[in-house]
Amino acid sequence: MQPVVDEYDYVIVGAGPAGCLLANRLSANPQHRVLLLEAGGRDNYPWIHIPVGYLFCIGNPRTDWCFKTEAQPGLQGRALSYPRGKVLGGCSSINGMIYMRGQAGDYDGWAAEGNAGWAWKDVLPLFRQSENHFAGDSEIHGAAGEWRVERQRLSWPILDAFRTAAEQSGIPNVDDFNGGDNEGCGYFQVNQKAGVRWNAAKAFLKPIRNRPNLTVLTEVEVDRVLLRDDRAQAVSARWQSKNMTFKARREIVLCAGAVGSPGILQRSGIGPRSLLQRLGIGVAHELPGVGGNLQDHLQLRLIYQLENARTLNQIAGTLWGKMGMGLRYLYDRSGPLSMAPSQLGAFARSGPEQTSANLEYHVQPLSLERFGEPLHSFPAFTASVCDLRPMSRGRVDIRSAEPGEAPLIQPNYLSHPEDLRVAADAIRLTRRIVASPALGAFKPVEYLPGASLQAEEELHQAAARIGTTIFHPVGTCRMGQDGDAVVDAQLRVHGIKGLRIADASIMPRITSGNTCSPTLMIAEKAARMMLEVDTRITTPQKEPATV
């Protein structure tokens, strides 16, 4: 069957946060014909928009790729579910809605590694450009953008007590984590609007849905990028039972994420020679770093059973409680149904040797054995803590040349000794916070991993037993100038003209916090760079003045 051919100026692969923003920015010029391709469907599933509905979106093939990792030696041989958004809005349609930029040092570190233009002073204006912050315009926040940021619409006495306990343990109260130094404890700001999830499709696509020069196709399975003379000319895909070739006159941009983008490159013959030859894929362009440098935040979920406390465990455990939650949400879009998965956050140092916060807490007024299972019957809270700057590195690789086959995801959690040391320190710090006077009235008892575990090796084993992903994979198409880098500082794939990557896969090192909004910033910068190139091409050069 001959493929159907269509031609555009820009072809964007993946309608997650980055792809949605790029489609908005590139199609603002009516002379640009822009195509946005998404493997999933429309974001019309009701549970996407009710904040607590993430429980019904993660692990649901309607909205999630439903990937799994390989069995992890560092996690006692466990394989983890690895959620990735497969729907318009991508992961912003199923994630925790937490607005977090990370630390200034993250971006200064990227720039120090040779990536000019990526320091904090460079990226702060990009964060502000897309932001619509509840507090209005300021030196650090923007109010004219599309990405809505609001305060949460509920609080919990047990979380207020944890915040006081953190302060008693030396972690100060803060109201805003996004000024460049996020150390402290406070309620997370969230990407919601009036108690409803605000995903990237609502922010960046819905307002421009009538632009005649923008085409958005869903349920498109992209196979590979087609090259000619070291230039990306088109993408090959499957849509509505037809083989399609979508040509790009100017550029192709991969926004398929830390799992999807390296897979598309590898199927295109761009990647490590040994992998491509083993799978029988011709080596169109050798780039050893494609798929490597995988980083993720591993969370340790410490659970504390309580007395004298009302938590979501009891409220959601009765029919009357569930009805009350529903009625409250219908009335004013507040209450537990408006909850982000984590309400209270804290950023802290695992030890005095740390120069900035290297731990992030997500504190929740609920508990369960594992994600997807019922809440416990007893009152409890969960203090989930993750190492923000893990040293372990993994890989994402295709298993075959077939685009429908799930990738091989090998994060290698806790494979570096430093990660084990930080994990043990994180458990000890959590115990100190919980032992503070502010939580005394609730008589917390450690349910998981268990207070009897005290020795260093026991804490290492506890981390291996309870550790799970917090869904922040990055780095598999790393930005840099060395032999293992995949893109340069302009996000152009090394050695291939007309091909860029603009998603979390380009991060050289993971940011110190949740990764959705940094991914939007990456796309904002990509759009600026692409439009600058377009201006140089289309603007006639002035003739030199004659004297």
Side-chain angles (χ1 to χ4, degrees):
M1 181 189 300
Q2 289 296 316
V4 179
V5 178
D6 205 353
E7 190 166 5
Y8 299 82
D9 292 299
Y10 298 103
V11 175
I12 304 166
V13 180
C20 288
L21 185 146
L22 265 173
N24 182 298
R25 302 298 188 248
L26 296 178
S27 65
N29 184 338
Q31 295 182 347
H32 294 161
R33 191 170 182 227
V34 179
L35 174 66
L36 176 62
L37 302 175
E38 168 55 38
R42 298 280 168 179
D43 62 331
N44 55 4
Y45 183 46
W47 282 116
I48 289 173
H49 309 290
I50 300 172
V52 81
Y54 73 94
L55 292 168
F56 307 103
C57 293
I58 291 178
N60 182 345
R62 180 171 181 170
T63 50
D64 182 4
W65 283 94
C66 299
F67 294 138
K68 291 187 75 71
T69 71
E70 299 301 291
Q72 294 298 288
L75 301 184
Q76 298 182 347
R78 291 182 295 128
L80 303 182
S81 295
Y82 215 66
R84 298 284 85 201
K86 188 181 182 183
V87 63
L88 278 184
C91 289
S92 74
S93 294
I94 69 172
N95 69 1
M97 295 162 283
I98 292 170
Y99 181 70
M100 187 64 57
R101 297 170 175 173
Q103 298 172 11
D106 300 334
Y107 305 100
D108 290 342
W110 293 4
E113 293 177 6
N115 299 299
W118 290 90
W120 175 251
K121 66 178 177 59
D122 302 311
V123 303
L124 179 57
L126 301 170
F127 279 114
R128 293 182 68 253
Q129 179 177 341
S130 61
E131 189 180 23
N132 179 5
H133 196 270
F134 68 89
D137 193 65
S138 68
E139 289 186 5
I140 62 170
H141 288 297
E146 303 91 342
W147 194 229
R148 182 62 182 168
V149 181
E150 293 188 353
R151 290 193 179 100
Q152 295 184 68
R153 299 166 71 85
L154 76 168
S155 61
W156 297 80
I158 184 62
L159 298 186
D160 293 336
F162 187 97
R163 189 180 189 187
T164 303
E167 186 174 29
Q168 292 170 344
S169 305
I171 304 169
N173 282 343
V174 295
D175 293 323
D176 189 349
F177 291 121
N178 290 295
D181 178 4
N182 54 16
E183 189 165 1
C185 185
Y187 279 89
F188 287 120
Q189 295 171 10
V190 291
N191 295 119
Q192 294 182 8
K193 188 170 185 178
V196 177
R197 177 191 290 273
W198 194 247
N199 68 355
K202 287 179 186 174
F204 301 103
L205 292 185
K206 188 175 180 181
I208 62 168
R209 59 186 178 275
N210 294 324
R211 283 182 183 170
N213 61 325
L214 173 64
T215 301
V216 180
L217 299 182
T218 57
E219 300 180 354
V220 180
E221 187 175 54
V222 172
D223 177 11
R224 57 201 166 95
V225 176
L226 303 177
L227 305 178
R228 183 175 181 181
D229 298 328
D230 291 329
R231 182 174 184 84
Q233 290 200 324
V235 298
S236 172
R238 185 82 174 163
W239 180 59
Q240 295 184 345
S241 302
K242 298 188 292 246
N243 294 323
M244 302 288 295
T245 297
F246 300 106
K247 289 187 175 182
R249 287 185 286 263
R250 296 179 184 270
E251 293 193 59
I252 295 167
V253 192
L254 300 185
C255 300
V259 175
S261 288
I264 293 170
L265 289 181
Q266 290 170 358
R267 289 196 300 272
S268 308
I270 304 169
R273 180 176 295 275
S274 59
L275 172 72
L276 301 178
Q277 290 179 336
R278 177 165 52 83
L279 296 178
I281 299 172
V283 181
H285 182 68
E286 184 175 8
L287 274 181
V290 173
N293 192 48
L294 174 62
Q295 300 159 61
D296 190 14
H297 287 143
L298 184 76
Q299 62 174 334
L300 309 180
R301 297 174 53 253
L302 280 76
I303 296 174
Y304 289 87
Q305 192 167 349
L306 304 171
E307 297 181 21
N308 310 315
R310 185 166 173 79
T311 67
L312 192 63
N313 289 9
Q314 300 105 291
I315 297 172
T318 68
L319 177 60
W320 289 110
K322 291 175 181 175
M323 289 176 60
M325 290 192 300
L327 289 171
R328 186 175 176 186
Y329 189 74
L330 287 172
Y331 175 67
D332 65 357
R333 296 291 187 267
S334 68
L337 292 189
S338 72
M339 283 172 47
S342 301
Q343 295 80 58
L344 187 76
F347 291 82
R349 307 183 195 203
S350 62
E353 76 284 357
Q354 301 294 336
T355 58
S356 63
N358 69 314
L359 299 177
E360 180 181 8
Y361 283 88
H362 294 76
V363 191
Q364 308 156 328
L366 55 86
S367 66
L368 67 168
E369 288 298 316
R370 57 186 59 85
F371 192 83
E373 295 193 3
L375 300 178
H376 288 135
S377 59
F378 50 80
F381 75 87
T382 300
S384 169
V385 58
C386 68
D387 180 355
L388 289 172
R389 293 187 282 275
M391 301 296 290
S392 300
R393 297 291 184 269
R395 290 197 59 84
V396 172
D397 290 313
I398 56 174
R399 296 178 190 270
S400 76
E402 293 299 319
E405 188 167 359
L408 190 156
I409 303 172
Q410 183 65 271
N412 293 329
Y413 295 118
L414 300 179
S415 59
H416 195 287
E418 178 65 10
D419 293 352
L420 287 168
R421 188 182 73 82
V422 171
D425 288 343
I427 294 172
R428 284 189 282 259
L429 174 60
T430 309
R431 289 171 172 172
R432 289 198 297 273
I433 295 171
V434 174
S436 298
L439 285 166
F442 299 101
K443 300 180 180 178
V445 174
E446 189 174 308
Y447 174 83
L448 195 72
S452 63
L453 305 175
Q454 296 289 332
E456 186 80 4
E457 181 57 32
E458 289 178 322
L459 297 182
H460 292 172
Q461 291 301 314
R465 178 165 55 90
I466 67 175
T468 188
T469 176
I470 207 164
F471 320 135
H472 296 164
V474 308
T476 50
C477 296
R478 179 172 66 83
M479 175 172 59
Q481 313 305 320
D482 60 276
D484 285 327
V486 178
V487 299
D488 64 15
Q490 286 73 47
L491 306 185
R492 301 170 299 199
V493 174
H494 286 298
I496 303 290
K497 299 181 182 68
L499 180 61
R500 298 193 203 226
I501 303 175
D503 57 32
S505 72
I506 68 94
M507 294 186 185
R509 296 177 185 271
I510 195 167
T511 54
S512 299
N514 310 73
T515 53
C516 182
S517 291
T519 300
L520 280 172
M521 179 278 295
I522 290 167
E524 194 79 81
K525 188 169 181 65
R528 283 196 183 184
M529 293 187 292
M530 293 172 69
L531 292 172
E532 286 172 1
V533 170
D534 177 74
T535 300
R536 290 197 298 269
I537 292 172
T538 58
T539 302
Q541 299 299 307
K542 292 183 178 180
E543 296 268 342
T546 57
V547 179

